[in-house]
Amino acid sequence: MKLITILGATGSIGVNTLDVIARHPDSYRVLALSGHTRLDLLAAQCLAHQPRYAVVGTAEAAATLKAKLSGLPTEVLYGTEALAQIAALPEVDTVMAAIVGAAGLQPALAAVRAGKRVLLANKEALVMAGELFMHEVQANGAILLPVDSEHNAIYQSLPAGYAGNLADVGVAKLLLTASGGPFRTLPLEALEFVTPEQACAHPNWVMGKKISVDSATMMNKGLEVIEARWLFNASAQQIEVVIHPQSVIHSLVQYVDGSVLAQLGNPDMRTPIAHALAYPERIAAGVAPLDLFAIGRLDFHAPDQARFPCLGLAYQALEQGGNAPAVLNAANEIAVASFLEGRLPYRRIADVIAATLDTIAPTVAADLNAVMLADAVARDAATKIVGHWGS
Ligand code: NAD
Ligand code: MG
């Protein structure tokens, strides 16, 4: 019986994780859950899974949740410290890190520092602090398993026990697939007027709003390039993005002998979640079997830089190094939130990120404080830039 903490239980990844766990009650038990705003859902999850702890953001939210849970033994906690606490509980075997954005970094790091098996959905943690994060994984004997579908596919397509040197195992390139999102074929002029609702209507995946907008701009793929850089110790030149609209091939590994290994499946996050939960074993995930005859064909295109400038900005930040990826991430979070609130036109998202990167002098990612400072400075700068350009 494995005991699990789910950080971000009320999100899209969190809900899918609970779905997989509920299929295997003899193998997994939920010890702690966290949520932020959807307190009714968190209360329902607590009723169904009876965790020992539930964590929310504020004292007020904690009081509201407590009232909803009267009679349950679940202890309700709140705040960042409490997130780190449930990530590092001695009894916990596995932590699902599924908080969205920079808010997920410190709790995920707490799980790593406690030497847990960490299932990482929160890609922003690696974008902001990849070097430090991977160092802590090594230093604390944590086991890091990627949940992001592309990275999970690459993990499955690399030799088992891959130790961090691509050349040693004959790998030439990692090929990250991208669907191209909802605006892949929209006339460029029409991008001027797209709404948050259109941007969130992803053709293949149902996800949280932030990652849905990131998928439309392809910043999601940019963040994933940086994520792959750290997870697999790959250089920017070893990571190539391939648009594959069907989202059936989740990513590929190209070897020096010409072999290309890939992982395929229906676009359903329960597959990578189940893989990471059970690794190296396999468990049923509730995902329908892939029907190749129904799919019929698989297409591939090179990404169009004019349509997806965010992808180039992510490579730029990766090349700059230091805290540039943390700045990129923070500026993106501000720009996306502003777009979702109707204060920034879609096409300005990339402009805000580019201007923020230009404004902030490069700094070294010496430690977590340096990363958090870069994050804060970039948020301020991006907020001011949105103020100039927003409506
Ligand atoms: P979501 O918006 O559906 O859920 C986010 C979760 O984080 C919720 O539980 C929310 O309560 C919590 N949260 C939000 N702000 C918080 C804060 N300030 N403090 C504490 N908790 C907070 O997002 P999602 O789509 O589930 O994505 C979660 C993470 O997984 C993201 O980093 C995303 O990039 C990554 N990811 C998601 C998918 C997907 O299919 N949804 C796929 C790959 C990777
Ligand atoms: Mg992904």
Side-chain angles (χ1 to χ4, degrees):
M1 177 66 78
K2 299 278 185 230
L3 297 185
I4 320 265
T5 285
I6 304 178
L7 303 167
T10 54
S12 160
I13 294 289
V15 167
N16 278 307
T17 304
L18 286 170
D19 180 284
V20 175
I21 286 176
R23 292 165 193 275
H24 303 280
D26 297 334
S27 307
Y28 305 102
R29 226 197 88 212
V30 175
L31 196 70
L33 295 174
S34 91
H36 203 58
T37 47
R38 301 169 71 188
L39 299 182
D40 282 334
L41 176 58
L42 186 58
Q45 292 176 336
C46 289
L47 285 171
H49 295 274
Q50 310 262 326
R52 200 177 307 155
Y53 303 98
V55 175
V56 291
T58 61
E60 204 184 342
T64 309
L65 184 66
K66 251 184 219 159
K68 292 182 198 291
L69 297 184
S70 67
L72 270 198
T74 302
E75 192 178 331
V76 179
L77 309 169
Y78 66 91
T80 329
E81 283 297 307
L83 288 175
Q85 191 187 325
I86 60 167
L89 289 169
E91 316 86 289
V92 161
D93 302 289
T94 301
V95 176
M96 167 57 84
I99 291 174
V100 61
L105 169 59
Q106 298 198 38
L109 207 49
V112 165
R113 286 179 171 152
K116 301 300 184 194
R117 178 185 176 103
V118 179
L119 318 190
L120 189 70
N122 177 231
K123 66 191 80 185
E124 294 91 346
L126 278 182
V127 172
M128 293 175 70
E131 187 167 12
L132 185 113
F133 199 94
M134 296 309 287
H135 174 79
E136 295 286 333
V137 169
Q138 292 284 329
N140 296 287
I143 298 170
L144 188 62
L145 291 158
V147 170
D148 210 348
S149 56
E150 296 77 2
H151 305 74
N152 185 269
I154 289 170
Y155 192 90
Q156 294 197 46
S157 304
L158 283 169
Y162 169 65
N165 189 322
L166 290 175
D168 278 358
V169 293
V171 171
K173 247 184 192 179
L174 306 178
L175 303 173
L176 279 184
T177 53
S179 69
F183 306 142
R184 184 174 59 86
T185 57
L186 198 72
L188 281 181
E189 318 80 70
L191 282 179
E192 216 55 72
F193 308 105
V194 297
T195 64
E197 202 172 42
Q198 290 169 305
C200 289
H202 196 279
N204 305 338
W205 300 94
V206 181
M207 309 182 285
K209 281 189 175 158
K210 191 258 178 184
I211 184 176
S212 295
V213 177
D214 286 349
S215 298
T217 63
M218 271 187 84
M219 180 53 92
N220 183 49
K221 214 49 53 179
L223 300 178
E224 291 184 358
V225 167
I226 302 172
E227 182 184 14
R229 184 263 168 272
W230 294 113
L231 276 174
F232 306 114
N233 193 27
S235 67
Q237 294 72 29
Q238 286 173 312
I239 308 168
E240 190 175 345
V241 172
V242 180
I243 293 195
H244 163 48
Q246 291 89 357
S247 298
V248 166
I249 298 180
H250 298 309
S251 277
L252 317 89
V253 176
Q254 191 167 63
Y255 287 83
V256 288
D257 63 2
S259 298
V260 178
L261 301 192
Q263 186 259 358
L264 285 72
N266 285 320
D268 186 324
M269 287 308 292
R270 291 177 300 177
T271 295
I273 290 167
H275 172 267
L277 261 177
Y279 183 83
E281 287 163 28
R282 297 272 179 178
I283 55 170
V287 176
L290 186 65
D291 182 348
L292 286 173
F293 299 117
I295 292 158
R297 59 184 273 182
L298 301 174
D299 296 305
F300 307 96
H301 314 281
D304 169 354
Q305 297 291 336
R307 181 179 294 275
F308 300 116
C310 285
L311 186 57
L313 291 172
Y315 272 101
Q316 179 193 320
L318 182 54
E319 296 289 354
Q320 280 178 314
N323 280 321
V327 169
L328 172 95
N329 179 68
N332 182 55
E333 286 191 27
I334 295 293
V336 169
S338 307
F339 168 67
L340 284 170
E341 289 161 15
R343 292 187 285 112
L344 189 74
Y346 175 82
R347 291 205 101 171
R348 289 292 195 192
I349 294 174
D351 296 339
V352 168
I353 299 162
T356 308
L357 279 170
D358 284 348
T359 309
I360 295 177
T363 51
V364 179
D367 54 20
L368 188 62
N369 286 337
V371 171
M372 296 317 293
L373 181 65
D375 174 81
V377 169
R379 275 168 205 274
D380 271 0
T383 303
K384 287 199 184 98
I385 295 165
V386 169
H388 286 306
W389 286 346
S391 45

